[in-house]
Amino acid sequence: MSASTIDSKIFRQWLADGEELAVLDIRHRAAVGYASPLFATNLPADHVEAEIDRFIPRKSVRTVLADDGSCVAEQLVERLSGHGRSQLFALAGGIPEWTKGGLEGLPTFDTPGVDFSLAIRDAKGTPVITVDELVALKGQGADVIVLDSRTVAEFDKDHVPGAISVPGAELVLRFADLVPSPDTRVIVSCAGLPRAIIGAQTLIDAGVPNKVAYLHDGTKAWREAGLAPEIGRTAAYGPASEDAKRFAGEHIARLTEGDSFPRIDAATAAAWAKDDKRTTYLLDVRTPEEFAEAHIPGSIASEGGQLLGVAYRTIAVRGARVVLIDDLLGVRAAILLHDFQSASLDAA
């Protein structure tokens, strides 16, 4: 092996040593799907040179590239090492070598969202509904609404018919506009389990008056039942009304009681971002539209509802400091602080 290549033994040690570490799975997105065996950030090889600075802002962070065994990672390491990234390494043999002994007991870069969400479900007894039960309720004309907590782009690809797109961090803020009656039964759905469980439990913890449950296995279960999903942006959240903001402000207080996260000002955030000894992510958890209209320089658009169940999509540096940026009401950030505290992650 070359000096810029590490084997699986060294990689295991790095995953366990508590120091900052970045891992990029550079295979094609179609091969990776929702998450690689590492639960690492997927940045396809042909995007790495253009986008690595966005995912790994500090050039001195130890960074491991994992490919499909084709040695593309080694070639990228050679090219990028001349651009100030002296701590860049290729994983020998890539993902095939990493998984050749099976996945049982294999360490991961991030906590799999399914594992965490199931722990929430088991600890709090999050109510659940099956596809068959949902179909029966709809057939009976029951007062029921389905809120899809994935990104709008994922919703557009396919969703449970009649569902409304409401990314997870927006659930409390938009709730009163979308669910005006306390008698409406609310079902939270996603592609499978993580974001649906987290979204449903967040609404319950916020004390909404409605009966709330998550849809078991979401759109995956819908398709497996032989039912046709709906495609396109058929229904999505709109601007929050003043009544919705008041409702959210009142209910979000329940989530922030007793949280242990410090609040910082803009000057502190800016100083942390310039710290050359530790990585800091300034994550704007508002909607992409709000971010496009105006945002703090150096911040990254990162829809809040995706940060826990699929954190690896955004946070490529393990051990980094995370700063959440929201509007003055702060509902989205408060939801995430509540969820991060449950996950014992280091955020601010």
Side-chain angles (χ1 to χ4, degrees):
M1 291 189 297
S2 69
S4 59
T5 302
I6 62 168
D7 60 20
S8 294
K9 181 180 179 180
I10 292 175
F11 188 42
R12 280 176 175 266
Q13 293 172 355
W14 287 5
L15 285 169
D17 67 14
E19 299 297 322
E20 283 197 10
L21 175 68
V23 180
L24 298 178
D25 184 332
I26 64 170
R27 296 176 298 162
H28 292 298
R29 290 194 172 97
V32 176
Y34 270 90
S36 74
L38 283 168
F39 284 85
T41 299
N42 177 218
L43 186 60
D46 55 354
H47 290 249
V48 170
E49 291 181 84
E51 299 180 37
I52 190 170
D53 289 345
R54 171 253 187 270
F55 287 99
I56 309 168
R58 277 203 319 121
K59 294 182 183 295
S60 59
V61 173
R62 287 179 308 176
T63 301
V64 177
L65 306 184
D67 60 22
D68 57 4
S70 62
C71 296
V72 172
E74 294 179 29
Q75 297 168 20
L76 274 171
V77 167
E78 186 176 343
R79 290 204 297 272
L80 288 167
S81 293
H83 297 281
R85 291 193 177 271
S86 58
Q87 295 295 306
L88 196 60
F89 303 88
L91 178 62
I95 296 297
E97 177 67 20
W98 179 247
T99 59
K100 71 177 184 180
L103 301 180
E104 187 69 28
L106 196 65
T108 58
F109 173 77
D110 190 20
T111 301
V114 171
D115 292 353
F116 175 66
S117 63
L118 291 178
I120 289 179
R121 180 200 66 184
D122 294 345
K124 298 196 173 186
T126 312
V128 61
I129 187 173
T130 66
V131 165
D132 288 344
E133 291 170 330
L134 177 58
V135 170
L137 285 173
K138 285 177 170 286
Q140 296 163 8
D143 183 5
V144 60
I145 187 171
V146 178
L147 304 179
D148 192 308
S149 60
R150 298 172 296 168
T151 65
V152 174
E154 289 174 286
F155 176 87
D156 288 351
K157 290 179 181 178
D158 71 342
H159 51 268
V160 172
I164 302 173
S165 176
V166 196
E170 306 296 322
L171 284 167
V172 176
L173 180 58
R174 320 284 172 166
F175 192 84
D177 286 337
L178 299 175
V179 192
S181 171
D183 298 321
T184 301
R185 187 168 182 179
V186 177
I187 310 301
V188 181
S189 176
C190 70
L193 288 174
R195 288 171 284 177
I197 293 175
I198 293 168
Q201 191 59 53
T202 295
L203 289 174
I204 293 168
D205 290 349
V208 301
N210 303 70
K211 188 175 182 180
V212 179
Y214 71 91
L215 180 63
H216 182 73
D217 267 349
T219 53
K220 175 185 175 184
W222 190 266
R223 290 191 301 271
E224 289 178 347
L227 300 169
E230 200 168 42
I231 297 171
R233 196 166 306 179
T234 51
Y237 68 89
S241 68
E242 291 304 314
D243 285 343
K245 291 177 182 178
R246 279 193 294 272
F247 177 94
E250 292 167 0
H251 286 77
I252 209 65
R254 293 174 181 245
L255 294 181
T256 57
E257 287 178 358
D259 77 47
S260 59
F261 293 101
R263 271 63 174 173
I264 63 171
D265 57 23
T268 301
W272 284 2
K274 293 177 181 177
D275 185 352
D276 61 3
K277 299 292 192 252
R278 188 177 182 192
T279 300
T280 298
Y281 287 99
L282 304 181
L283 302 183
D284 191 317
V285 298
R286 301 173 301 157
T287 66
E289 295 80 12
E290 289 172 284
F291 181 85
E293 185 175 339
H295 58 269
I296 293 174
S299 62
I300 299 170
S302 181
E303 288 183 79
Q306 319 312 312
L307 271 181
L308 193 55
V310 285
Y312 54 83
R313 292 184 180 179
T314 302
I315 302 173
V317 180
R318 190 177 193 174
R321 209 161 27 196
V322 178
V323 177
L324 307 181
I325 302 170
D326 198 354
D327 59 18
L328 293 178
L329 189 59
V331 172
R332 279 78 62 100
I335 286 175
L336 285 162
L337 290 174
H338 168 75
D339 294 338
F340 274 127
Q341 183 156 288
S342 299
S344 298
L345 294 178
D346 180 17

